[in-house]
Amino acid sequence: MATPRTIGSVTERLSNALQERSERVRAALGSPLRTTRTTVVVGRLLGAAFLICFLTGIYSNLLQSPLPWLSPPPGPAHLYAWTQGTHVVVGAMLIPLLLAKLWVVFPQLFTWPPVRSLPHLLERASLAILVATALMEPITGVLNALKWYPWDFSFRRTHFALAWVLIGAMIVHIAVHLPAIIRAWRSGGPGDDREPVQDQTPEQDRTETRDRHQTSEEAGAPKTTAVSRRRFLGVVGGASALTGVAALAHAVAPIGPFSLKEPRARVSAAQGVTVNRSARQAEVTDLASDPGWMLRLGAGEGALALARADLEALPQRTEVLPIACVEGWTIDATWTGVRLRDLLDLGGMPEEATIRLRSLQRRGAFRETTMPAAYARDPRTLIALRLNGEPLDLDHGYPARVIAPGRPGVLQTKWLTSIEVA
Ligand SMILES: Nc1nc2c(c(=O)[nH]1)N[C@H]1C(S)=C(S)[C@@H](COP(=O)(O)O)O[C@H]1N2
Ligand SMILES: [Mo]
């Protein structure tokens, strides 16, 4: 019969055995590179990169879903190309940093006991959330840029929601490790190179690292560690530069040898401009090439209907404006057509009205969009009929599409069918 005493000794023996084993695993994984200093050096770059992605991501989301009290005004035509290009390039660059950081701290998975106290349990839980979201964000981002959706959920909503969780977990993480971060940041002397990464409460951290510091100085040879750390950081930095250059090349030259998606999606590039969704994919070919097509202005009784010839007869404007896709790529093009604000005046729509633009498309998230008055009334915003000197290609939104400055590509609605007050 098992008495409480024998049970007690069994759990004790088990615990001892596990402790021994986890210590052995950690010793086997030990590397002179796995130091607090390395993790702080990589960690602060990674933190800065995530922060940049967070801020540019908020901007992109605000443009796509403005808040009633916060709707970014139109700025320079290329502003969104810059912010979203930065988002994607920095997002690509942080992948090697993230992998390096996880490699450095990974032996801490084998600390024993896994949980020491309630605060420690909470800290570990927030760390699990941090690691999971830090991995999910670049993974979903890359898959979205490749237009590969092995999931059912809305990419944008999920990517955005996880970003808030990630930033929250990052703040907790930095707060918990602040003493070690400050120490590694301040000194940078060779002694720090010898300090293995610790998973400790702040007090333990302070006393135990002081002890380690002494033994490491006795042990000597801090120079080799500094050299190998520099080499490690060099490799990580090189990998990061490489992914950054690949993303940048794709961003500025989405057509051609650097294109990441052309081989996959077989996108055409009619009139020298990338096509994200063709007329055939959007299932609008018949409706868009119908000679009886009309653009409806307004709703209900007073609505006007304009044929393409009517639009061509109105004063034409030409603007050089980019298509800046959320995937990070940008292409400048010369657009000719009617100023949207001229059409709004023609339809008698109020100055301050938010405008709804509908396309011929029956399905799909981008089949209709709304545009705040500041963009709709901007003199650069056109209902484009021509692209780079030719009538719009069917794939670029023939008979008519919207093109506005500083807006994400997803909002540049193609194959328009109606314009009305939202
Ligand atoms: N109706 C409609 N408009 C749309 C889309 C769409 O799927 N349907 N895709 C948008 C996206 S994601 C981008 S990047 C631009 C691309 O325009 P382009 O094909 O002329 O380059 O169109 C936008 N307009
Ligand atoms: Mo896009």
Side-chain angles (χ1 to χ4, degrees), residues 11 46 67 77 130 145 147 186 206-207 221 236 249 252-253 265 267 272 297 310-311 397:
T11 54
L46 188 58
L67 298 171
L130 178 63
K147 289 175 158 283
R186 264 208 209 123
R206 226 168 291 133
T207 49
V236 173
V252 297
V267 285
L297 256 188
D310 299 329
L311 291 167

Side-chain angles (χ1 to χ4, degrees), residues 8 13 20 49 111 114 116 120-121 189 208 228 244 280 286 298 306 325 340 354 358 371 380 412:
R13 280 216 313 271
E20 231 171 74
T111 41
R116 286 191 300 266
H120 186 238
L121 172 68
E208 289 193 17
S228 57
R280 191 180 45 78
D286 292 343
L306 302 172
C325 184
L340 176 56
T354 296
R358 274 189 228 278
M371 186 185 280
R380 296 166 292 178
Q412 312 279 31

